[in-house]
Amino acid sequence: MSQYNFKKIKVVPTTKDFVNIILSKTQRKTPTVVHRHYQIARIRSFYMRKVKFTQQNFHDKLTQIITDFPKIEEIHPFFADLLNVLYDKDHYKLALGQINTARHLIDNVARDYVRLLKFGDSLYRCKQLKRAALGRMASIMKRQNDSLAYLEQVRQHLGRLPSIDPNTRTLLICGFPNVGKSSFINKITRADVEVQPYSFTTKSLYVGHTDYKYLRWQVIDTPGILDHPLEERNTIEMQAITALAHLRACILFVIDASELCGVALEDQLSLFKNLKPLFVNKPTLLVNNKMDILKIEDLSEDRKALLEELKQDGNVSILQMSTVTEDGVMNVRNQACDMLLEYRVEMKMKGKNMENVVNRLHVAMPHPRDSKERLPCIPNVIQNKKSSMNEDDAEMKPKKKTERDIELELGDDYILDLKKRYDIPGDEKYDIIPELWEGHNIADFVFPEMEEKLKLLELEEQKLLESGYYDPNLSDEDDETKKIRGLARQIRTKKALMRNEAWMHKSSTKPKVTRIGRKRERSVSRLKSEFTELGVEFSDDDGDAHYGDAARDASSSRPPLKKMRVDSEGRVRSSSKKPRDESGVRDMTERQKVKAMAKKAQRKAARNARKGEGDRKIVNLKPKHLLSGKRGIGKTSRR
């Protein structure tokens, strides 16, 4: 795994927080009540569940810590050595090993106590076994206090490390302190590295990114390195040594020939020779910064000879720049990127994967058919175009003026003319075209051949009329087809009627017609009139008696109407049921007293801004200590 996201490692709590979190979760997530009627098997399972739940939470938390932190054997050698330099990999491995041991010990404790709980013979004994199990787990975690604190410090420092990709295109800047490395990375990238006029301002690795040839390049600024043995270098210097040893990058070794950094040029070149084993198989540039103060050409002959010797021995290119005036800065970046691109292409060509690709490629070389040599034929048009392009380059013919150039040239007299390049002769391009002209839409006359096409369409229409194409009497259907269509129409109509009738007869969907809206079907007067028309005569007494009996029989089947009465407030109430304000009240005096109490409670609720009994509004309490007691001579505004 070449990359590792150290910023996703979760926070490592202290021992006290660790134990509190786990025990609190156990209390919240498991049952907490044991009743006296529980059987002993249920009591055992109750406490076994607590022990197992606590053990599982400890196990999950510790496993997450172990898996979140990177394993030195699985990450890139650059990150492995950086971990060793910053935190000491032995101490790091020991801390993770102790966490792993604590996890196994907690699992063993839980397993042993669950086994003992299976034989608990009382509530008291089961409870004591549970307390002992949780206490031993907490004691094991308390012994890991130092390891957890160390891992939390490592996590915080890992989160602050820059996101370095060891396999991408990288420019690595190194050299003595205060020679201008941080100034250079600030010029070519958006990195904001602190720059100060004293040594060891940069104490860790900084990363910036730049674009060149449509590619993204990673630029790393390293802390300054002093010229002494490897054993005597401190943690700050070892970070730079680790980056030089493991990153496949183009090395930019920055020197200060003017010696304003406080180090002689000979000592800087001596450091370059000492670090030379780390530059093997890597493109290297020796960059002289502060050329605005002193250039290489102005050096003495002895120092020039030292630089020439380095250039010949190590196959090193020497460039110059000034981060103050920015002379040569982009040239140094471009040349370093080109060297690294060539080096990466060479390495890919030497790799095993390239052989498989080359073996699949075949370049066909045609053989002459009649032993005649045929040179490639380039058309005259292409040759003339190439020659004209070369002439244009030689003459540097001025470019065509743009609207922006014309605007700058004319200044305030410039007027934007969008119609000057219209392909219309004369001044007609500036004419304003109306939408309507002499009562006609002008768009109808834009098409010049429209009149001729309209005449052709009218002739075609006349021919169709003459041939009887639009005669309504002509029909392709015979009598049998018409008969079938008529029957089908009748069937559809009948089905629609049946569907509506079924819908009307449904009890759930049948409309409820009230007595007022429904017309009366049978009545005595209607029956009399019909009988009279038929010639049947009968007396009114008999009819009244006959229909009176029928009416009486019909009315006897109806339930009697309830007796209604009007209360004191004018509301209609049933006589069988007392109103609420009268139920449970002995006399009129007591009822008036109840009403007065209700009105008083209602006024109190309104005063407290409550809508009713269901309103739970809590109003601000009145300052009783200011409004109680005897009045003094002081202010009375609060009263």
Side-chain angles (χ1 to χ4, degrees):
M1 168 174 198
S2 60
Q3 279 182 296
Y4 199 92
N5 193 355
F6 301 118
K7 293 179 176 61
K8 285 189 177 179
I9 303 175
K10 293 192 176 178
V11 177
V12 181
T14 60
T15 301
K16 187 176 179 181
D17 294 340
F18 206 105
V19 174
N20 289 340
I21 290 168
I22 300 298
L23 296 183
S24 173
K25 192 173 183 181
T26 303
Q27 188 71 7
R28 287 184 289 109
K29 299 286 186 179
T30 57
T32 56
V33 180
V34 179
H35 296 285
R36 66 175 65 181
H37 63 270
Y38 281 0
Q39 296 180 357
I40 189 65
R42 189 168 181 180
I43 294 171
R44 289 172 189 161
S45 64
F46 176 86
Y47 286 110
M48 285 164 59
R49 179 178 179 181
K50 284 188 174 293
V51 173
K52 288 180 180 178
F53 189 83
T54 307
Q55 175 265 332
Q56 190 61 42
N57 283 331
F58 273 117
H59 183 91
D60 294 344
K61 281 278 186 183
L62 295 174
T63 303
Q64 186 181 29
I65 291 172
I66 294 169
T67 54
D68 278 358
F69 280 88
K71 291 184 180 179
I72 292 180
E73 294 80 10
E74 295 180 358
I75 57 178
H76 194 275
F78 165 69
F79 290 119
D81 275 8
L82 196 60
L83 280 172
N84 186 27
V85 167
L86 295 173
Y87 320 115
D88 186 4
K89 67 179 181 181
D90 295 332
H91 194 179
Y92 177 76
K93 285 184 175 181
L94 187 62
L96 288 177
Q98 287 179 346
I99 298 297
N100 191 26
T101 304
R103 181 179 61 172
H104 290 306
L105 288 175
I106 288 173
D107 293 346
N108 293 337
V109 166
R111 187 174 62 251
D112 294 342
Y113 276 89
V114 167
R115 195 175 298 161
L116 291 173
L117 276 167
K118 290 179 181 178
F119 301 98
D121 55 356
S122 66
L123 172 63
Y124 176 76
R125 186 161 295 180
C126 292
K127 185 175 181 180
Q128 292 303 107
L129 286 171
K130 185 266 297 184
R131 288 185 63 186
L134 269 58
R136 285 192 62 185
M137 293 181 196
S139 299
I140 291 170
M141 282 309 305
K142 285 177 182 176
R143 291 199 293 267
Q144 309 305 320
N145 191 22
D146 295 338
S147 298
L148 293 175
Y150 170 75
L151 289 175
E152 174 60 16
Q153 291 181 359
V154 172
R155 183 199 68 81
Q156 292 177 4
H157 201 288
L158 281 173
R160 290 193 292 267
L161 285 178
S163 300
I164 297 174
D165 185 1
N167 297 320
T168 192
R169 297 165 291 275
T170 307
L171 305 180
L172 195 60
I173 310 169
C174 62
F176 260 90
N178 208 25
V179 295
K181 302 185 294 299
S182 300
S183 302
F184 176 66
I185 191 175
N186 287 343
K187 294 295 181 183
I188 65 171
T189 69
R190 292 184 180 179
D192 188 14
V193 185
E194 186 181 2
V195 177
Q196 296 293 342
Y198 50 80
S199 302
F200 287 108
T201 306
T202 305
K203 297 181 181 178
S204 61
L205 300 176
Y206 285 91
V207 179
H209 294 85
T210 185
D211 293 326
Y212 177 68
K213 289 188 176 180
Y214 305 104
L215 297 173
R216 179 58 58 91
W217 300 77
Q218 180 178 251
V219 186
I220 300 177
D221 181 22
T222 61
I225 309 172
L226 299 178
D227 187 17
H228 48 231
L230 186 66
E231 297 80 11
E232 299 177 7
R233 289 196 169 102
N234 57 17
T235 304
I236 297 175
E237 295 175 279
M238 286 304 297
Q239 294 181 55
I241 299 297
T242 304
L244 288 170
H246 292 289
L247 295 178
R248 291 164 31 186
C250 178
I251 309 297
L252 279 76
F253 190 88
V254 183
I255 61 173
D256 181 9
S258 64
E259 299 181 357
L260 289 178
C261 62
V263 182
L265 180 60
E266 290 80 4
D267 295 338
Q268 299 179 46
L269 298 179
S270 174
L271 175 63
F272 181 83
K273 292 179 182 178
N274 291 339
L275 297 178
K276 205 170 182 182
L278 300 175
F279 303 159
V280 177
N281 296 328
K282 294 176 185 174
T284 308
L285 274 177
L286 189 67
V287 182
N288 174 37
N289 191 20
K290 305 177 185 177
M291 63 175 289
D292 53 330
I293 299 173
L294 182 64
K295 296 183 179 180
I296 293 179
E297 294 80 7
D298 301 333
L299 292 173
S300 61
E301 295 297 331
D302 299 340
R303 293 187 171 182
K304 283 184 182 179
L306 289 173
L307 291 174
E308 288 296 328
E309 183 182 353
L310 281 179
K311 189 175 180 179
Q312 294 175 0
D313 293 347
N315 194 16
V316 179
S317 301
I318 300 177
L319 297 176
Q320 298 187 83
M321 68 175 182
S322 172
T323 55
V324 176
T325 61
E326 298 187 10
D327 293 338
V329 171
M330 301 311 292
N331 182 34
V332 170
R333 185 206 67 174
N334 296 345
Q335 190 154 345
C337 293
D338 291 335
M339 290 173 65
L340 184 59
L341 271 181
E342 293 175 5
Y343 169 73
R344 288 170 70 91
V345 169
E346 289 177 6
M347 295 301 294
K348 284 184 179 179
M349 293 297 294
K350 293 177 183 178
K352 295 180 181 179
N353 295 334
M354 189 54 63
E355 294 179 1
N356 299 331
V357 176
V358 172
N359 290 336
R360 283 181 282 178
L361 296 177
H362 175 68
V363 181
M365 300 296 294
H367 297 286
R369 292 170 295 177
D370 45 7
S371 66
K372 290 184 179 179
E373 184 180 1
R374 290 179 173 81
L375 298 174
C377 178
I378 301 175
N380 295 330
V381 178
I382 304 298
Q383 288 182 349
N384 295 336
K385 192 173 182 180
K386 281 188 175 181
S387 61
S388 64
M389 287 172 63
N390 295 333
E391 291 175 2
D392 291 345
D393 293 342
E395 296 176 2
M396 292 300 290
K397 189 166 65 176
K399 295 181 181 179
K400 183 179 179 181
K401 283 186 178 182
T402 62
E403 288 293 323
R404 177 63 178 163
D405 297 335
I406 298 172
E407 181 182 3
L408 294 174
E409 183 178 340
L410 296 178
D412 296 336
D413 299 333
Y414 173 75
I415 298 173
L416 179 62
D417 187 3
L418 297 175
K419 296 184 178 180
K420 65 181 179 182
R421 291 191 175 86
Y422 280 11
D423 192 12
I424 298 175
D427 294 336
E428 295 179 6
K429 55 191 172 187
Y430 295 108
D431 292 348
I432 299 174
I433 301 176
E435 294 184 6
L436 296 174
W437 181 64
E438 294 185 358
H440 299 284
N441 189 352
I442 200 71
D444 296 338
F445 302 95
V446 172
F447 188 54
E449 300 177 358
M450 187 174 61
E451 296 289 342
E452 298 177 5
K453 291 217 170 192
L454 183 61
K455 288 179 182 178
L456 291 174
L457 287 173
E458 288 176 350
L459 288 173
E460 188 177 352
E461 190 75 11
Q462 186 67 28
K463 289 178 181 178
L464 290 173
L465 286 172
E466 291 173 0
S467 63
Y469 183 77
Y470 297 114
D471 191 354
N473 298 323
L474 294 177
S475 176
D476 296 337
E477 296 182 354
D478 53 1
D479 296 337
E480 187 176 357
T481 308
K482 288 181 179 179
K483 187 176 181 180
I484 292 171
R485 288 186 183 279
L487 287 172
R489 197 178 303 111
Q490 291 178 10
I491 290 170
R492 284 195 295 270
T493 306
K494 182 66 175 176
K495 283 178 70 175
L497 291 172
M498 291 171 66
R499 194 183 305 115
N500 292 339
E501 188 176 354
W503 180 81
M504 291 289 292
H505 280 83
K506 276 187 181 179
S507 61
S508 60
T509 58
K510 186 161 56 174
K512 303 291 187 293
V513 181
T514 60
R515 193 174 184 85
I516 298 171
R518 187 171 59 190
K519 186 178 180 182
R520 193 171 182 184
E521 296 176 356
R522 294 186 297 272
S523 65
V524 177
S525 59
R526 181 183 170 193
L527 193 61
K528 282 181 180 182
S529 62
E530 288 179 357
F531 270 76
T532 306
E533 289 175 1
L534 293 172
V536 179
E537 294 182 3
F538 52 88
S539 64
D540 294 340
D541 298 337
D542 296 339
D544 293 341
H546 176 72
Y547 290 107
D549 296 339
R552 191 164 47 252
D553 294 340
S555 64
S556 63
S557 63
R558 296 177 186 171
L561 293 174
K562 291 183 179 179
K563 293 181 180 179
M564 308 301 289
R565 71 179 185 83
V566 180
D567 62 0
S568 60
E569 296 181 1
R571 290 174 293 191
V572 179
R573 297 191 178 277
S574 173
S575 61
S576 62
K577 188 178 180 181
K578 284 188 177 182
R580 290 182 62 186
D581 57 348
E582 295 181 9
S583 61
V585 181
R586 285 194 300 270
D587 52 3
M588 194 68 179
T589 308
E590 194 169 346
R591 191 171 76 181
Q592 289 177 354
K593 186 178 180 182
V594 169
K595 282 189 177 181
M597 291 171 63
K599 287 184 178 179
K600 187 177 180 182
Q602 195 173 6
R603 283 197 301 270
K604 184 178 178 183
R607 189 165 56 248
N608 293 334
R610 292 177 59 186
K611 293 182 180 178
E613 295 177 356
D615 193 348
R616 298 287 181 247
K617 179 176 175 58
I618 300 173
V619 296
N620 294 329
L621 298 177
K622 296 179 180 178
K624 185 177 179 182
H625 66 286
L626 295 176
L627 302 178
S628 62
K630 295 182 179 180
R631 295 181 60 176
I633 308 174
K635 295 180 181 178
T636 59
S637 60
R638 291 302 295 252
R639 302 179 189 275

